[in-house]
Amino acid sequence: DLSGERCQAFITTAHSLAQEGRVSVRHIRRDAMEAAKKLKKDNKISEDDEKRLEKDVQAATDKAIKDIDAHLAAKEKDLLTV
């Protein structure tokens, strides 16, 4: 059985890990966007392809962050119901 303090400590840890995950996802997004810009600058892809890549990267980023938030909410609920 978890005490209230211990439960809150686990929740705080879960929030910290979720935030680290979000930051990592955003860093990956930034790197991918920079790579797309470099490909466009080097004339390896068209402007339309660059925009499509940026849109796809943003959609993947949004989904990953949504998944992290959903996992966090489920874990928090699980910890609070124990």
Coordinates of all heavy atoms in Angstrom, one line a residue:
D1 N 0.8 -1.2 0.0 CA 0.0 0.0 0.0 C 0.9 1.2 0.0 O 1.8 1.3 0.8 CB -0.9 0.0 1.2 CG -2.3 0.4 1.0 OD1 -2.7 0.5 -0.2 OD2 -3.0 0.6 1.9
L2 N 0.6 2.2 -0.9 CA 1.4 3.4 -1.0 C 0.8 4.5 -0.1 O -0.4 4.7 -0.1 CB 1.4 3.9 -2.4 CG 2.1 3.1 -3.5 CD1 1.9 3.7 -4.9 CD2 3.6 3.0 -3.2
S3 N 1.7 5.2 0.6 CA 1.2 6.3 1.4 C 1.0 7.5 0.5 O 1.4 7.5 -0.7 CB 2.3 6.7 2.4 OG 3.4 7.2 1.8
G4 N 0.3 8.5 1.0 CA 0.0 9.6 0.2 C 1.2 10.4 -0.3 O 1.3 10.8 -1.5
E5 N 2.2 10.5 0.6 CA 3.5 11.2 0.2 C 4.2 10.4 -0.8 O 4.8 11.0 -1.8 CB 4.4 11.3 1.5 CG 3.9 12.4 2.4 CD 4.9 12.5 3.6 OE1 6.0 11.9 3.5 OE2 4.5 13.0 4.6
R6 N 4.3 9.1 -0.7 CA 5.0 8.2 -1.6 C 4.3 8.3 -3.0 O 5.0 8.4 -4.0 CB 5.1 6.8 -1.1 CG 6.0 5.9 -1.9 CD 7.4 6.2 -1.5 NE 8.3 5.3 -2.2 CZ 9.3 5.7 -2.9 NH1 9.7 7.0 -2.9 NH2 10.1 4.8 -3.6
C7 N 3.0 8.3 -3.0 CA 2.2 8.3 -4.2 C 2.5 9.7 -4.9 O 2.7 9.7 -6.1 CB 0.8 8.2 -3.9 SG -0.3 8.1 -5.3
Q8 N 2.5 10.8 -4.2 CA 2.8 12.1 -4.8 C 4.2 12.1 -5.3 O 4.5 12.7 -6.4 CB 2.6 13.2 -3.7 CG 1.2 13.7 -3.6 CD 0.5 14.1 -4.9 OE1 -0.4 13.4 -5.3 NE2 1.1 15.1 -5.5
A9 N 5.2 11.5 -4.7 CA 6.5 11.4 -5.2 C 6.6 10.7 -6.5 O 7.3 11.1 -7.4 CB 7.5 10.8 -4.1
F10 N 5.9 9.6 -6.6 CA 5.8 8.9 -7.9 C 5.2 9.7 -9.0 O 5.6 9.7 -10.1 CB 5.1 7.5 -7.7 CG 5.9 6.4 -7.1 CD1 5.3 5.6 -6.1 CD2 7.2 6.2 -7.5 CE1 6.0 4.6 -5.5 CE2 7.9 5.1 -6.9 CZ 7.3 4.4 -5.9
I11 N 4.1 10.4 -8.6 CA 3.4 11.3 -9.6 C 4.4 12.4 -10.1 O 4.5 12.7 -11.3 CB 2.1 11.8 -9.0 CG1 1.1 10.7 -8.9 CG2 1.6 13.0 -9.9 CD1 -0.2 11.1 -8.2
T12 N 5.1 13.0 -9.2 CA 6.1 14.0 -9.5 C 7.1 13.5 -10.5 O 7.5 14.1 -11.5 CB 6.7 14.6 -8.3 OG1 5.7 15.1 -7.4 CG2 7.7 15.7 -8.6
T13 N 7.6 12.3 -10.2 CA 8.6 11.6 -11.0 C 8.0 11.4 -12.4 O 8.7 11.6 -13.4 CB 9.1 10.3 -10.4 OG1 9.7 10.6 -9.1 CG2 10.1 9.6 -11.2
A14 N 6.8 10.9 -12.4 CA 6.2 10.6 -13.7 C 6.0 11.9 -14.6 O 6.3 11.9 -15.8 CB 4.8 10.0 -13.5
H15 N 5.7 13.0 -13.9 CA 5.6 14.3 -14.6 C 6.9 14.7 -15.1 O 7.0 15.2 -16.3 CB 5.0 15.4 -13.7 CG 3.5 15.3 -13.6 ND1 2.7 16.0 -14.5 CD2 2.7 14.7 -12.7 CE1 1.4 15.7 -14.1 NE2 1.4 15.0 -13.1
S16 N 8.0 14.5 -14.4 CA 9.3 14.9 -14.8 C 9.7 14.1 -16.0 O 10.3 14.6 -17.0 CB 10.3 14.7 -13.7 OG 10.0 15.5 -12.6
L17 N 9.5 12.8 -16.0 CA 9.8 11.9 -17.1 C 9.0 12.3 -18.3 O 9.6 12.3 -19.4 CB 9.6 10.5 -16.7 CG 10.6 9.9 -15.7 CD1 10.2 8.5 -15.2 CD2 12.0 9.9 -16.2
A18 N 7.7 12.6 -18.1 CA 6.9 13.0 -19.3 C 7.4 14.3 -19.9 O 7.5 14.4 -21.1 CB 5.5 13.1 -18.9
Q19 N 7.8 15.2 -19.1 CA 8.4 16.5 -19.6 C 9.7 16.2 -20.4 O 9.9 16.8 -21.4 CB 8.6 17.5 -18.5 CG 9.1 18.8 -18.9 CD 8.1 19.5 -19.9 OE1 6.9 19.3 -19.9 NE2 8.7 20.3 -20.8
E20 N 10.5 15.4 -19.8 CA 11.8 15.0 -20.6 C 11.4 14.4 -21.9 O 12.1 14.7 -22.9 CB 12.6 14.0 -19.7 CG 13.3 14.7 -18.5 CD 14.0 13.6 -17.7 OE1 14.4 12.6 -18.2 OE2 14.2 13.9 -16.5
G21 N 10.4 13.6 -21.9 CA 10.0 12.9 -23.2 C 9.5 14.0 -24.2 O 9.9 13.9 -25.4
R22 N 8.7 14.9 -23.7 CA 8.2 16.0 -24.6 C 9.4 16.8 -25.2 O 9.4 17.1 -26.4 CB 7.3 16.9 -23.9 CG 5.9 16.3 -23.6 CD 5.0 17.3 -23.0 NE 4.0 16.7 -22.1 CZ 4.1 16.7 -20.8 NH1 5.1 17.3 -20.2 NH2 3.2 16.0 -20.1
V23 N 10.3 17.1 -24.3 CA 11.5 17.9 -24.8 C 12.3 17.1 -25.8 O 12.7 17.7 -26.8 CB 12.4 18.3 -23.6 CG1 13.7 18.9 -24.0 CG2 11.6 19.3 -22.7
S24 N 12.5 15.8 -25.6 CA 13.2 15.0 -26.5 C 12.5 15.0 -27.9 O 13.1 15.1 -28.9 CB 13.4 13.6 -26.0 OG 14.2 13.6 -24.9
V25 N 11.2 14.8 -27.9 CA 10.4 14.8 -29.1 C 10.5 16.2 -29.8 O 10.7 16.2 -31.1 CB 8.9 14.5 -28.8 CG1 8.0 14.8 -30.0 CG2 8.7 13.1 -28.4
R26 N 10.5 17.2 -29.1 CA 10.7 18.6 -29.7 C 12.1 18.8 -30.3 O 12.2 19.4 -31.4 CB 10.4 19.7 -28.7 CG 8.9 19.7 -28.4 CD 8.5 20.8 -27.4 NE 7.2 20.8 -27.0 CZ 6.8 20.6 -25.8 NH1 7.6 20.6 -24.8 NH2 5.5 20.6 -25.5
H27 N 13.1 18.2 -29.7 CA 14.4 18.3 -30.2 C 14.5 17.5 -31.5 O 15.2 18.0 -32.5 CB 15.5 17.8 -29.2 CG 15.7 18.7 -28.1 ND1 16.1 18.3 -26.9 CD2 15.7 20.1 -28.1 CE1 16.3 19.4 -26.1 NE2 16.0 20.5 -26.8
I28 N 13.9 16.3 -31.5 CA 13.9 15.5 -32.8 C 13.2 16.3 -33.9 O 13.6 16.3 -35.0 CB 13.3 14.2 -32.5 CG1 14.2 13.3 -31.6 CG2 13.0 13.4 -33.8 CD1 13.5 12.1 -31.0
R29 N 12.0 16.9 -33.5 CA 11.3 17.7 -34.5 C 12.2 18.8 -35.1 O 12.3 19.1 -36.3 CB 10.0 18.4 -33.9 CG 9.3 19.3 -34.9 CD 8.2 20.0 -34.3 NE 8.6 20.9 -33.2 CZ 7.9 21.5 -32.3 NH1 6.6 21.3 -32.4 NH2 8.4 22.3 -31.4
R30 N 12.9 19.5 -34.2 CA 13.8 20.6 -34.6 C 14.8 20.1 -35.6 O 15.1 20.7 -36.6 CB 14.4 21.3 -33.4 CG 15.3 22.5 -33.8 CD 16.2 22.9 -32.7 NE 17.1 21.8 -32.4 CZ 17.6 21.4 -31.2 NH1 17.2 22.1 -30.2 NH2 18.4 20.4 -31.1
D31 N 15.4 19.0 -35.2 CA 16.5 18.4 -36.1 C 15.9 18.0 -37.5 O 16.5 18.2 -38.5 CB 17.1 17.2 -35.4 CG 17.9 17.6 -34.2 OD1 18.2 18.8 -34.0 OD2 18.2 16.7 -33.4
A32 N 14.7 17.4 -37.4 CA 14.1 17.0 -38.7 C 13.7 18.2 -39.6 O 13.9 18.2 -40.8 CB 12.8 16.2 -38.4
M33 N 13.2 19.3 -38.9 CA 12.9 20.5 -39.7 C 14.2 21.1 -40.3 O 14.1 21.6 -41.4 CB 12.2 21.5 -38.8 CG 10.9 21.1 -38.3 SD 9.6 21.1 -39.5 CE 8.1 21.1 -38.6
E34 N 15.2 21.2 -39.5 CA 16.5 21.7 -40.0 C 17.0 20.9 -41.2 O 17.5 21.4 -42.2 CB 17.5 21.8 -38.9 CG 17.3 22.9 -37.9 CD 18.2 22.8 -36.7 OE1 19.1 22.0 -36.7 OE2 18.1 23.7 -35.8
A35 N 16.9 19.5 -41.1 CA 17.3 18.7 -42.2 C 16.5 18.9 -43.5 O 17.1 19.0 -44.6 CB 17.2 17.2 -41.8
A36 N 15.2 19.1 -43.3 CA 14.3 19.4 -44.5 C 14.7 20.7 -45.1 O 14.8 20.8 -46.3 CB 12.9 19.4 -44.0
K37 N 15.0 21.7 -44.3 CA 15.4 23.0 -44.8 C 16.8 22.9 -45.5 O 17.0 23.5 -46.6 CB 15.6 24.0 -43.7 CG 14.2 24.6 -43.2 CD 14.5 25.6 -42.1 CE 13.2 26.4 -41.7 NZ 12.1 25.6 -41.3
K38 N 17.7 22.1 -45.0 CA 19.0 21.9 -45.6 C 18.8 21.2 -47.0 O 19.5 21.6 -48.0 CB 19.9 21.1 -44.7 CG 21.3 21.0 -45.3 CD 22.3 20.4 -44.3 CE 23.7 20.2 -44.7 NZ 24.0 20.3 -46.1
L39 N 18.0 20.2 -47.0 CA 17.7 19.5 -48.3 C 17.2 20.5 -49.3 O 17.5 20.5 -50.5 CB 16.8 18.3 -48.1 CG 17.3 17.1 -47.4 CD1 16.2 16.1 -47.1 CD2 18.4 16.5 -48.2
K40 N 16.2 21.4 -48.9 CA 15.7 22.3 -49.8 C 16.7 23.3 -50.3 O 16.8 23.6 -51.5 CB 14.5 23.1 -49.1 CG 14.0 24.3 -49.8 CD 13.4 24.0 -51.2 CE 12.8 25.2 -51.8 NZ 13.7 26.0 -52.5
K41 N 17.5 23.8 -49.3 CA 18.6 24.7 -49.6 C 19.6 24.2 -50.6 O 20.1 24.9 -51.5 CB 19.3 25.2 -48.4 CG 20.3 26.3 -48.5 CD 21.0 26.6 -47.2 CE 22.4 26.9 -47.4 NZ 23.2 26.8 -46.3
D42 N 19.9 22.9 -50.5 CA 20.8 22.2 -51.4 C 20.2 21.7 -52.7 O 20.8 21.0 -53.5 CB 21.4 21.0 -50.7 CG 22.3 21.4 -49.5 OD1 22.7 22.6 -49.4 OD2 22.6 20.5 -48.7
N43 N 18.9 22.1 -52.9 CA 18.1 21.8 -54.1 C 18.0 20.3 -54.3 O 17.9 19.8 -55.4 CB 18.7 22.4 -55.3 CG 18.6 23.9 -55.3 OD1 17.5 24.4 -54.9 ND2 19.6 24.6 -55.7
K44 N 17.9 19.5 -53.2 CA 17.7 18.1 -53.3 C 16.2 17.7 -53.2 O 15.8 16.6 -53.6 CB 18.5 17.4 -52.2 CG 20.0 17.5 -52.4 CD 20.7 16.7 -51.4 CE 22.2 16.8 -51.7 NZ 23.1 16.1 -50.7
I45 N 15.4 18.6 -52.7 CA 14.0 18.4 -52.7 C 13.3 19.8 -53.1 O 13.9 20.8 -53.0 CB 13.4 18.0 -51.3 CG1 13.7 19.0 -50.2 CG2 14.0 16.6 -50.9 CD1 13.1 18.7 -48.9
S46 N 12.1 19.7 -53.5 CA 11.4 20.9 -53.9 C 10.7 21.6 -52.7 O 10.7 21.0 -51.6 CB 10.2 20.5 -54.9 OG 9.2 19.8 -54.2
E47 N 10.3 22.8 -52.9 CA 9.6 23.5 -51.8 C 8.4 22.8 -51.3 O 8.1 22.7 -50.1 CB 9.3 24.9 -52.2 CG 8.9 25.8 -51.0 CD 8.8 27.3 -51.4 OE1 9.4 27.7 -52.4 OE2 8.0 28.0 -50.7
D48 N 7.6 22.2 -52.3 CA 6.4 21.4 -51.9 C 6.8 20.2 -51.0 O 6.1 19.9 -50.0 CB 5.7 20.9 -53.1 CG 5.0 22.1 -53.9 OD1 4.8 23.2 -53.3 OD2 4.7 21.9 -55.1
D49 N 7.9 19.5 -51.4 CA 8.3 18.4 -50.6 C 8.8 18.8 -49.2 O 8.5 18.1 -48.2 CB 9.5 17.7 -51.3 CG 9.1 16.9 -52.5 OD1 7.8 16.6 -52.6 OD2 9.9 16.6 -53.4
E50 N 9.4 20.0 -49.1 CA 9.9 20.5 -47.8 C 8.6 20.8 -47.0 O 8.6 20.4 -45.8 CB 10.7 21.8 -48.0 CG 11.1 22.4 -46.7 CD 11.6 23.8 -46.8 OE1 11.4 24.5 -47.9 OE2 12.2 24.3 -45.8
K51 N 7.6 21.4 -47.5 CA 6.4 21.7 -46.7 C 5.7 20.5 -46.3 O 5.2 20.4 -45.2 CB 5.5 22.6 -47.6 CG 6.0 24.0 -47.9 CD 6.3 24.8 -46.6 CE 6.9 26.1 -47.0 NZ 7.5 26.8 -45.8
R52 N 5.7 19.5 -47.2 CA 5.0 18.2 -46.9 C 5.8 17.5 -45.7 O 5.2 17.0 -44.8 CB 4.9 17.3 -48.1 CG 4.2 16.0 -47.9 CD 4.1 15.1 -49.1 NE 5.4 15.0 -49.8 CZ 6.4 14.2 -49.4 NH1 6.4 13.6 -48.3 NH2 7.5 14.2 -50.2
L53 N 7.1 17.5 -45.8 CA 7.9 16.9 -44.8 C 7.7 17.6 -43.4 O 7.5 16.9 -42.4 CB 9.4 16.9 -45.1 CG 9.9 15.9 -46.1 CD1 11.4 16.3 -46.5 CD2 9.9 14.5 -45.5
E54 N 7.7 18.9 -43.5 CA 7.4 19.7 -42.2 C 6.1 19.4 -41.7 O 5.9 19.2 -40.4 CB 7.6 21.2 -42.5 CG 9.0 21.6 -42.7 CD 9.2 23.1 -43.0 OE1 8.1 23.8 -43.2 OE2 10.3 23.5 -43.1
K55 N 5.1 19.2 -42.5 CA 3.7 18.9 -42.1 C 3.7 17.5 -41.4 O 3.1 17.3 -40.4 CB 2.7 19.0 -43.2 CG 1.3 18.7 -42.9 CD 0.4 18.9 -44.1 CE -0.9 18.3 -43.8 NZ -1.7 18.0 -45.0
D56 N 4.4 16.5 -42.1 CA 4.4 15.2 -41.6 C 5.2 15.1 -40.3 O 4.7 14.4 -39.3 CB 5.1 14.2 -42.6 CG 4.3 14.0 -43.9 OD1 3.1 14.4 -43.9 OD2 4.8 13.5 -44.8
V57 N 6.3 15.8 -40.2 CA 7.1 15.8 -38.9 C 6.2 16.4 -37.8 O 6.2 15.9 -36.7 CB 8.4 16.6 -39.1 CG1 9.0 16.9 -37.8 CG2 9.3 15.9 -40.0
Q58 N 5.5 17.5 -38.1 CA 4.6 18.2 -37.1 C 3.5 17.2 -36.6 O 3.2 17.1 -35.4 CB 4.1 19.5 -37.6 CG 3.3 20.2 -36.5 CD 4.2 20.6 -35.3 OE1 5.2 21.2 -35.5 NE2 3.7 20.3 -34.1
A59 N 2.9 16.5 -37.6 CA 1.9 15.5 -37.2 C 2.4 14.4 -36.3 O 1.8 14.0 -35.3 CB 1.3 15.0 -38.5
A60 N 3.6 13.9 -36.7 CA 4.2 12.9 -35.8 C 4.6 13.4 -34.4 O 4.4 12.7 -33.4 CB 5.5 12.3 -36.5
T61 N 5.0 14.6 -34.4 CA 5.3 15.3 -33.1 C 4.1 15.4 -32.3 O 4.1 15.1 -31.1 CB 6.0 16.7 -33.3 OG1 7.2 16.5 -34.1 CG2 6.3 17.4 -32.0
D62 N 3.0 15.9 -32.9 CA 1.8 16.1 -32.1 C 1.3 14.7 -31.6 O 0.8 14.6 -30.4 CB 0.7 16.7 -33.0 CG 1.0 18.1 -33.4 OD1 1.9 18.8 -32.7 OD2 0.4 18.7 -34.4
K63 N 1.4 13.7 -32.4 CA 0.9 12.4 -32.0 C 1.8 11.9 -30.8 O 1.3 11.3 -29.9 CB 1.0 11.4 -33.1 CG 0.4 10.0 -32.8 CD 0.6 9.0 -33.9 CE 0.1 7.6 -33.5 NZ 0.4 7.1 -32.2
A64 N 3.1 12.0 -30.9 CA 4.0 11.5 -29.9 C 3.7 12.3 -28.6 O 3.7 11.6 -27.5 CB 5.4 11.7 -30.3
I65 N 3.5 13.6 -28.6 CA 3.3 14.3 -27.4 C 1.9 13.9 -26.8 O 1.7 13.8 -25.6 CB 3.4 15.8 -27.6 CG1 4.9 16.1 -27.8 CG2 2.8 16.6 -26.5 CD1 5.2 17.6 -28.1
K66 N 0.9 13.7 -27.7 CA -0.4 13.3 -27.2 C -0.3 11.9 -26.5 O -0.9 11.7 -25.5 CB -1.4 13.2 -28.4 CG -2.8 12.8 -28.1 CD -3.6 12.8 -29.3 CE -5.0 12.2 -29.0 NZ -5.8 12.0 -30.2
D67 N 0.5 11.0 -27.1 CA 0.7 9.7 -26.5 C 1.4 9.8 -25.2 O 1.0 9.1 -24.2 CB 1.6 8.8 -27.4 CG 0.8 8.3 -28.7 OD1 -0.4 8.5 -28.8 OD2 1.5 7.8 -29.6
I68 N 2.4 10.7 -25.0 CA 3.1 10.9 -23.8 C 2.1 11.4 -22.7 O 2.0 10.9 -21.6 CB 4.2 11.8 -23.9 CG1 5.4 11.2 -24.7 CG2 4.7 12.3 -22.5 CD1 6.5 12.2 -25.1
D69 N 1.2 12.3 -23.1 CA 0.2 12.9 -22.2 C -0.8 11.8 -21.8 O -1.2 11.8 -20.6 CB -0.5 14.1 -22.8 CG 0.5 15.3 -22.9 OD1 1.5 15.3 -22.3 OD2 0.2 16.2 -23.7
A70 N -1.2 11.0 -22.7 CA -2.2 9.9 -22.4 C -1.5 8.9 -21.4 O -2.2 8.5 -20.5 CB -2.6 9.2 -23.7
H71 N -0.3 8.5 -21.7 CA 0.4 7.6 -20.8 C 0.5 8.2 -19.4 O 0.4 7.5 -18.4 CB 1.8 7.2 -21.3 CG 1.7 6.2 -22.4 ND1 1.4 6.5 -23.7 CD2 1.8 4.8 -22.3 CE1 1.4 5.4 -24.4 NE2 1.7 4.3 -23.6
L72 N 0.9 9.5 -19.3 CA 1.0 10.2 -18.0 C -0.3 10.2 -17.3 O -0.4 9.9 -16.1 CB 1.5 11.6 -18.2 CG 1.6 12.5 -17.0 CD1 2.6 11.8 -16.0 CD2 2.0 13.9 -17.3
A73 N -1.4 10.5 -18.0 CA -2.7 10.6 -17.3 C -3.1 9.2 -16.8 O -3.6 9.1 -15.7 CB -3.8 11.1 -18.3
A74 N -2.8 8.2 -17.6 CA -3.2 6.8 -17.2 C -2.3 6.4 -16.0 O -2.9 5.8 -15.0 CB -3.0 5.8 -18.3
K75 N -1.1 6.7 -16.0 CA -0.2 6.4 -14.9 C -0.6 7.1 -13.6 O -0.6 6.6 -12.5 CB 1.3 6.6 -15.2 CG 2.3 6.3 -14.1 CD 2.1 4.9 -13.6 CE 2.6 3.8 -14.5 NZ 2.5 2.5 -14.0
E76 N -0.9 8.4 -13.8 CA -1.3 9.2 -12.6 C -2.6 8.6 -12.0 O -2.7 8.5 -10.8 CB -1.5 10.7 -13.1 CG -1.7 11.6 -11.9 CD -1.7 13.1 -12.4 OE1 -1.4 13.3 -13.6 OE2 -2.0 13.9 -11.5
K77 N -3.6 8.3 -12.9 CA -4.8 7.7 -12.4 C -4.5 6.4 -11.7 O -5.1 6.1 -10.6 CB -5.8 7.5 -13.6 CG -7.1 6.9 -13.2 CD -8.0 6.7 -14.4 CE -9.3 6.0 -13.9 NZ -10.1 5.5 -15.1
D78 N -3.7 5.6 -12.2 CA -3.3 4.3 -11.7 C -2.7 4.5 -10.3 O -3.0 3.8 -9.3 CB -2.3 3.6 -12.6 CG -1.9 2.2 -12.1 OD1 -2.9 1.4 -11.6 OD2 -0.8 1.8 -12.2
L79 N -1.8 5.5 -10.2 CA -1.1 5.7 -8.9 C -2.1 6.3 -7.8 O -2.0 5.9 -6.6 CB 0.0 6.7 -9.0 CG 1.3 6.2 -9.7 CD1 2.2 7.3 -10.1 CD2 2.0 5.1 -8.8
L80 N -3.1 7.0 -8.3 CA -4.0 7.6 -7.3 C -5.1 6.6 -6.8 O -5.7 6.8 -5.8 CB -4.7 8.8 -7.9 CG -3.8 10.1 -8.1 CD1 -4.6 11.2 -8.9 CD2 -3.3 10.6 -6.8
T81 N -5.3 5.6 -7.6 CA -6.3 4.6 -7.3 C -5.8 3.4 -6.4 O -6.5 2.6 -6.0 CB -7.1 4.0 -8.5 OG1 -6.1 3.4 -9.4 CG2 -7.8 5.1 -9.2
V82 N -4.4 3.4 -6.3 CA -3.8 2.3 -5.5 C -4.0 2.6 -4.0 O -4.1 3.6 -3.5 CB -2.3 2.2 -5.8 CG1 -1.6 1.3 -4.8 CG2 -2.1 1.7 -7.2

